[in-house]
């Protein structure tokens, strides 16, 4: 059986790793939320573009200046952006799944170490 000091060191290391995973998970969740906001915004632009006629003029904001842009090009840009955002969301979803699994494994490890520590400490108390 492992010594209380060794178990305590393992518990500390596992706890630190678990916190690191949780921080990374929060960062990835935030990235996913930003991507969803961008996707929503671009979907709205796509809907607006669908209502345009050939006579409508499209402008693009570049810095503080509005520059006339070809309607077809603008629509293609939005489609390309949406495709990119969708692929990024899929990538981030994969990261979320992976981190969730890592988190669960680390949580189980922490519970096992705590149980072992309690077993080592129990005879000392009695």
């Amino acid at each position: 059986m492992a010594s209380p000091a060794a178990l305590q060191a393992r518990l500390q290391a596992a706890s630190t790793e678990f916190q690191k995973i949780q921080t990374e998970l929060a960062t990835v969740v935030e990235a996913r939320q930003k991507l969803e906001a961008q996707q929503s915004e671009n979907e709205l632009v796509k809907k607006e573009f669908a209502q345009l006629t050939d006579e409508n003029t499209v402008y693009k904001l570049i810095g503080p200046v509005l520059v006339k842009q070809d309607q077809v090009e603008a629509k293609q840009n939005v489609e390309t952006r949406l495709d990119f955002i969708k692929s990024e969301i899929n990538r981030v979803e994969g990261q979320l799944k992976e981190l969730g699994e890592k988190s669960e494994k680390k949580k189980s490890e922490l519970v096992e170490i705590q149980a072992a520590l309690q077993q080592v400490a129990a005879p000392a108390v009695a």
Side-chain angles (χ1 to χ4, degrees), residues 99-117:
L99 285 169
E101 290 168 1
K102 274 186 185 178
S103 177
E104 285 304 311
K105 283 181 186 175
K106 197 51 70 176
K107 196 186 294 184
S108 296
E109 184 182 333
L110 283 167
V111 168
E112 287 174 25
I113 295 169
Q114 287 172 336
L117 258 173

Side-chain angles (χ1 to χ4, degrees), residues 67-84:
V67 178
K68 192 173 181 178
Q69 188 178 25
D70 179 53
Q71 206 179 109
V72 174
E73 183 185 341
K75 287 178 181 179
Q76 286 173 340
N77 287 345
V78 170
E79 282 297 330
T80 304
R81 220 173 299 128
L82 279 169
D83 289 342
F84 174 76

Side-chain angles (χ1 to χ4, degrees), residues 35 83-93 95:
L35 286 167
D83 289 342
F84 174 76
I85 291 169
K86 284 174 187 166
S87 69
E88 279 298 296
I89 286 175
N90 288 336
R91 184 184 66 77
V92 168
E93 297 244 331
Q95 281 183 311

